[in-house]
Amino acid sequence: MTRLSLLLLVLAGLFCSPAKAHTTSQSFSSWRSDGTDVNAVFAVDARRITQLAQLYDLEGGLYPMLEDHLKETITVQQGNTPCVRSGIAPLTSDGAIIRARLSFSCPTAVASENSVVTIAAFHTVSATHIHIARIDDAAADGAGREVLLSEAQPAFSLSGTHTPGSLTGFVRLGFDHVLSGPDHLAFLAALLLLAGTLRRALIAVTGFTVGHSITLALAVLGIIEPREQMIEALIAFTIASTALEAGLPEQRKTAFRFFAALTALIILPSGLVLPFGVAIMLYVAATAQLPQTTAIRLVPVVAIAFGLIHGAGFAGGLTELELTGRNLVAPLLGFNIGVELGQILALGLILGIASLLGTVLPGSKHISRAWLALPLFCAGCFWFAERLWT
């Protein structure tokens, strides 16, 4: 129980300052029309804007680059007639998220003429960039819908009353979120090594989805405000810890004593010692005392904790949509379904590759789990240090 208590302490330290956007390449906007006027607020992670330095002059700062980019990549059109952009201006920023207000004037009322918005922002610097747009209905209090845009589908209709594929769009977002994240794939591989069987691994990844669903909903509702740096660092730490447990079960005490010292060397230069750093180092020390059988039984519990962290990280961006009531259903349900499907596919691919290698290279069956876990452990330690130090 000591180990779980320390893990809870680590988790508690993650929810004491405002959330930031997840590292997935994504942006957000909200749209509202009134007669012939169309107004929008565009929001994106400040770090994402730095990618635009490949296209624009960085000397003017982040916002001028974003402004130039939005002018080139966002349009509103009625039939063959473009709506005139009547303004673009910065909004108050918290430093992590930068926002801009856009205004358009259309030839005829949006309600009576099909008006199509095209958002191709950031596709030139990130082909996998995802944009989530919320469309508010001025005639109904709080009514609205969400659409998910990508390079393959960059447009939506302002005057549409229904958005087919809204749910499926979020399913795809969750699916892509798993398969496009090297840290998440590394964790799944380490989890599979530790679980030892497909059944235990499926139970563990389902636990991850449960945790993910909880914090995703809590953060979107504004009940918790997670810290991005701590979340990303702890994700990396979990990869390293899980890989170490999987790779050296017979040398648990020695391995985790070494890991405790390595963890201290990574944490101390970051200045994040209390309470986050102390809790993590104590957690490693407590883990060293557990027998392997107990550690395996606790895998689903640790996976749920990992899900809590990862869900909070993604939700930092979804809060830009200001989802409430029934507007939560499609994003939360769709995203979590996509995550679960992505995890199952990833586990299947990992097992399939392992089986293929065992057939083509019979000698690979005798490779110890320690050698398989070593690159995952090294990657986790590298990401842990990188995310704490930057």
Side-chain angles (χ1 to χ4, degrees):
M1 293 304 294
T2 301
R3 185 191 189 211
L4 294 180
S5 299
L6 289 167
L7 185 53
L8 290 174
L9 179 59
V10 172
L11 288 171
L14 301 178
F15 303 111
C16 54
S17 72
K20 301 176 184 177
H22 193 271
T23 52
T24 301
S25 182
Q26 58 190 19
S27 54
F28 309 85
S29 64
S30 58
W31 294 80
R32 191 176 183 88
S33 59
D34 185 7
T36 60
D37 295 329
V38 177
N39 295 290
V41 174
F42 186 97
V44 66
D45 190 334
R47 293 182 302 173
R48 195 66 52 201
I49 301 175
T50 60
Q51 293 182 298
L52 299 179
Q54 306 170 42
L55 308 174
Y56 307 96
D57 184 5
L58 183 59
E59 292 183 3
L62 295 181
Y63 181 77
M65 284 197 301
L66 178 63
E67 180 179 350
D68 289 342
H69 189 59
L70 297 184
K71 287 178 180 178
E72 296 176 3
T73 56
I74 297 182
T75 61
V76 182
Q77 190 149 331
Q78 290 184 331
N80 295 323
T81 306
C83 298
V84 178
R85 186 180 61 253
S86 52
I88 180 170
L91 293 175
T92 302
S93 172
D94 61 8
I97 301 294
I98 292 182
R99 301 175 180 84
R101 182 182 299 279
L102 297 92
S103 301
F104 297 85
S105 180
C106 297
T108 59
V110 173
S112 60
E113 181 73 24
N114 185 39
S115 304
V116 176
V117 176
T118 300
I119 302 177
F122 294 94
H123 291 161
T124 52
V125 292
S126 177
T128 59
H129 184 82
I130 295 295
H131 183 86
I132 303 175
R134 174 179 169 81
I135 304 96
D136 290 322
D137 185 353
D141 294 335
R145 54 194 170 95
E146 294 75 42
V147 293
L148 189 144
L149 307 176
S150 63
E151 186 174 27
Q153 185 177 350
F156 65 91
S157 174
L158 277 176
S159 51
T161 57
H162 177 62
T163 308
S166 178
L167 175 63
T168 57
F170 284 103
V171 170
R172 180 195 163 192
L173 180 61
F175 188 82
D176 291 345
H177 178 68
V178 172
L179 298 183
S180 63
D183 53 352
H184 188 66
L185 293 175
F187 175 78
L188 288 176
L191 192 64
L192 185 57
L193 280 176
L194 179 60
T197 67
L198 178 60
R199 179 178 176 274
R200 283 202 294 256
L202 287 175
I203 292 173
V205 297
T206 301
F208 165 82
T209 302
V210 170
H212 187 285
S213 303
I214 293 171
T215 45
L216 185 58
L218 292 177
V220 170
L221 290 171
I223 297 173
I224 60 173
E225 294 185 339
R227 299 179 63 185
E228 181 197 32
Q229 185 184 21
M230 299 297 96
I231 290 168
E232 292 185 354
L234 193 55
I235 287 173
F237 169 83
T238 305
I239 296 169
S241 179
T242 305
L244 193 62
E245 287 199 62
L248 297 172
E250 304 300 327
Q251 298 84 27
R252 166 178 291 278
K253 285 191 176 182
T254 302
F256 273 90
R257 284 170 182 167
F258 162 77
F259 189 40
L262 179 60
T263 300
L265 290 175
I266 293 174
I267 291 174
L268 291 175
S270 71
L272 300 170
V273 178
L274 293 172
F276 177 78
V278 171
I280 282 187
M281 288 184 283
L282 290 175
Y283 172 81
V284 176
T287 299
Q289 307 305 316
L290 290 177
Q292 179 70 359
T293 53
T294 303
I296 290 177
R297 285 200 302 270
L298 290 176
V299 167
V301 178
V302 176
I304 291 174
F306 180 81
L308 292 172
I309 299 161
H310 210 59
F314 182 80
L318 280 186
T319 53
E320 291 297 320
L321 293 177
E322 299 181 349
L323 301 172
T324 57
R326 63 186 178 85
N327 294 319
L328 282 169
V329 175
L332 294 180
L333 178 62
F335 183 79
N336 285 305
I337 290 174
V339 165
E340 186 73 355
L341 292 175
Q343 289 175 150
I344 293 172
L345 177 60
L347 288 174
L349 289 174
I350 293 171
L351 288 173
I353 291 172
S355 177
L356 180 62
L357 288 175
T359 302
V360 177
L361 302 172
S364 64
K365 294 181 179 179
H366 303 292
I367 298 176
S368 69
R369 286 202 295 180
W371 285 109
L372 295 174
L374 179 61
L376 299 174
F377 174 75
C378 292
C381 289
F382 172 77
W383 286 327
F384 184 49
E386 179 189 42
R387 293 170 186 184
L388 279 183
W389 293 349
T390 57

